[in-house]
């Protein structure tokens, strides 16, 4: 842990676990260190990164102001899977913010992330920029091995086991007059509105562009098709023997399906489904599956985060 914190202080990369997914970290207050993240991920330099901080105190280094909604959300949900977009303090974290006048900040709850942030802070690091530790556009990692699979064994990864949440943090833009919903996660919009005390608006055309909001993202190598349960059943009946290596990720049990079709059951609870989603996609890729037919999750708000990731995985 000490060596990892020292690496960050020296401007090098360290991948680390958070409660959502693994992040690829570099000190956010050094543009040259942050440039290494963009390079390793193959991420376009105009896509801003989230800065991880130990607590609210460090937010003040990066943000010009918080505002009452941000203060309430921090009090209710930090440390935890919520990222806030705030007006950026002048002259700091230009590279991490990809030149935007705003900065994304979040305080993770994972004990390994917190220990790393605390030790790095002791070495003068104000915050750690950390996008998901995967190559641009691909599935986020939820285990240390996934990070090595993405970047090779030379990458420094702190192994904190499997991530609890499994999908990326909820993002709320608090930099404008009214808070705006940018990315769904496990925290529901209802819960966030209740804590904010004001409605969270849906994103509009003037909202900042975020890579997590590109139509195609979180994509495995296999082609993903998302369909309602009855359509999935019909498709399987019509299929007979598949000519491609096909996997089905469905909520209900399936009868009369060819033994050549790889079957996985989606958990009944949305949080459990989020927890395993990315590792299931990675496992199926590793098995050489070419096509994944996924049953659409229920329209319930609790499923919004998982639905969002599946829609984007299917968009490529
Ligand atoms: O759960 C998470 O948020 C994970 C863990 C590692 O913390 N991180 C993550 O980072 O998902 P990344 O870089 O893969 O996604 C960050 C998202 C992107 O959609 C990005 O555009 C958005 O946050 N974002 C960051 N800063 C922003 C800003 N200033 N304005 C608008 N969007 C921003
Ligand atoms: Mg990402």
């Amino acid at each position: 842990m000490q060596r990892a914190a020292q690496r960050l202080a020296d401007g090098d990369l360290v991948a680390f676990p958070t409660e959502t997914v693994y992040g690829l970290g570099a000190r956010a207050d050094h543009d040259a260190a942050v440039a290494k993240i963009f390079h390793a991920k193959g991420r376009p330099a105009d896509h801003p990164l989230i800065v991880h901080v130990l607590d609210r105190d460090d937010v003040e280094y990066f943000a010009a102001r918080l505002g009452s909604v941000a203060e309430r959300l921090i009090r209710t949900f930090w440390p935890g899977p919520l990222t806030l977009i705030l007006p950026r303090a002048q002259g700091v974290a230009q590279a991490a913010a990809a030149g935007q006048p705003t900065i994304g900040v979040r305080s993770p709850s994972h004990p390994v992330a917190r220990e790393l942030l605390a030790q790095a802070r002791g070495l003068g690091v104000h915050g750690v920029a950390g996008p998901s530790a995967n190559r641009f556009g691909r599935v986020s990692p939820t285990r240390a091995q996934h990070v090595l699979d993405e970047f090779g064994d030379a990458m420094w990864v702190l192994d904190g086991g499997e991530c609890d949440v499994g999908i990326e943090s909820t993002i709320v833009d608090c930099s404008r007059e009214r808070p705006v919903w940018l990315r769904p996660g496990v925290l529901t919009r209802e819960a966030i509105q209740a804590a904010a005390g004001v409605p969270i608006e849906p994103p509009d055309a003037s909202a900042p562009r975020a890579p997590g909001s590109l139509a195609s993202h979180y994509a495995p190598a296999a082609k993903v098709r998302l369909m309602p349960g009855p359509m999935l059943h019909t498709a399987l009946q019509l299929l007979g023997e598949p000519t491609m290596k096909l996997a089905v990720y469905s909520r209900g049990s399936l009868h009369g399906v060819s033994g050549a079709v790889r079957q996985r059951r989606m958990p009944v609870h949305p949080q459990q489904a989020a927890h395993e989603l990315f590792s299931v996609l990675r496992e199926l890729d590793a098995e050489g599956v070419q096509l994944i037919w996924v049953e659409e999750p229920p329209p319930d708000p609790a499923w919004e985060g998982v639905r969002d990731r599946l829609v984007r995985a299917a968009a490529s």
Side-chain angles (χ1 to χ4, degrees):
M1 184 66 82
Q2 267 171 8
R3 288 164 70 201
Q6 187 61 55
R7 261 182 83 80
L8 287 177
D10 292 344
D12 287 319
L13 300 179
V14 175
F16 61 98
T18 80
E19 70 279 27
T20 59
V21 300
Y22 276 73
L24 182 58
R27 62 183 303 167
D29 49 2
H30 279 201
D31 286 356
V34 170
K36 294 180 185 174
I37 296 179
F38 285 96
H39 182 254
K41 279 189 63 109
R43 176 155 165 151
D46 63 346
H47 289 187
L49 311 176
I50 292 171
V51 176
H52 297 75
V53 293
L54 193 57
D55 51 38
R56 192 201 165 289
D57 289 348
D58 284 331
V59 175
E60 283 169 17
Y61 180 84
F62 295 99
R65 75 195 120 77
L66 279 93
S68 59
V69 169
E71 295 279 10
R72 279 197 287 271
L73 294 180
I74 286 174
R75 241 179 285 132
T76 311
F77 296 107
W78 278 16
L82 176 66
T83 296
L84 301 176
I85 308 299
L86 300 170
R88 182 160 58 97
Q90 236 182 355
V92 301
Q94 174 81 10
Q100 306 255 9
T102 52
I103 188 83
V105 286
R106 126 170 158 83
S107 182
S109 63
H110 195 294
V112 173
R114 298 195 64 73
E115 182 61 26
L116 179 66
L117 289 170
Q119 293 215 16
R121 181 155 83 178
L123 299 171
V125 174
H126 293 280
V128 173
S132 52
N134 53 276
R135 290 177 191 275
F136 183 65
R138 314 303 301 188
V139 177
S140 296
T142 55
R143 299 178 190 176
Q145 184 59 48
H146 296 163
V147 180
L148 297 178
D149 293 345
E150 290 282 322
F151 297 106
D153 289 347
M155 178 61 74
W156 274 58
V157 189
L158 292 173
D159 190 343
E162 255 185 83
C163 301
D164 263 357
V165 172
I167 60 173
E168 304 81 353
S169 60
T170 300
I171 305 181
V172 178
D173 184 354
C174 296
S175 70
R176 298 181 294 160
E177 212 162 308
R178 293 163 163 196
V180 176
W181 186 244
L182 290 188
R183 181 172 73 181
V186 288
L187 299 175
T188 63
R189 190 149 145 197
E190 287 79 355
I192 290 174
Q193 288 187 149
V198 293
I200 311 286
E201 315 268 330
D204 60 42
S206 73
R209 211 171 45 108
S213 61
L214 291 179
S216 167
H217 212 72
Y218 315 111
K223 183 124 193 70
V224 177
R225 283 208 50 198
L226 193 57
M227 43 194 140
M231 190 191 284
L232 176 63
H233 285 255
T234 307
L236 283 167
Q237 298 312 318
L238 293 173
L239 172 76
E241 284 303 309
T243 56
M244 287 173 96
K245 198 155 179 198
L246 173 68
V248 171
Y249 192 42
S250 66
R251 295 169 45 74
S253 60
L254 300 164
H255 306 285
V257 176
S258 160
V261 175
R262 170 88 164 82
Q263 292 191 47
R264 285 286 299 242
R265 284 288 285 280
M266 192 185 296
V268 174
H269 294 289
Q271 295 197 348
Q272 190 54 36
H275 172 77
E276 71 163 44
L277 178 64
F278 290 150
S279 72
V280 167
L281 294 178
R282 279 177 183 273
E283 269 169 48
L284 296 176
D285 264 353
E287 288 172 20
V289 166
Q290 294 162 292
L291 194 60
I292 310 172
W293 286 357
V294 182
E295 181 175 345
E296 271 175 17
D300 190 276
W303 283 88
E304 190 182 352
V306 169
R307 242 185 354 256
D308 170 80
R309 302 314 187 274
L310 284 172
V311 166
R312 292 181 206 287
S316 58

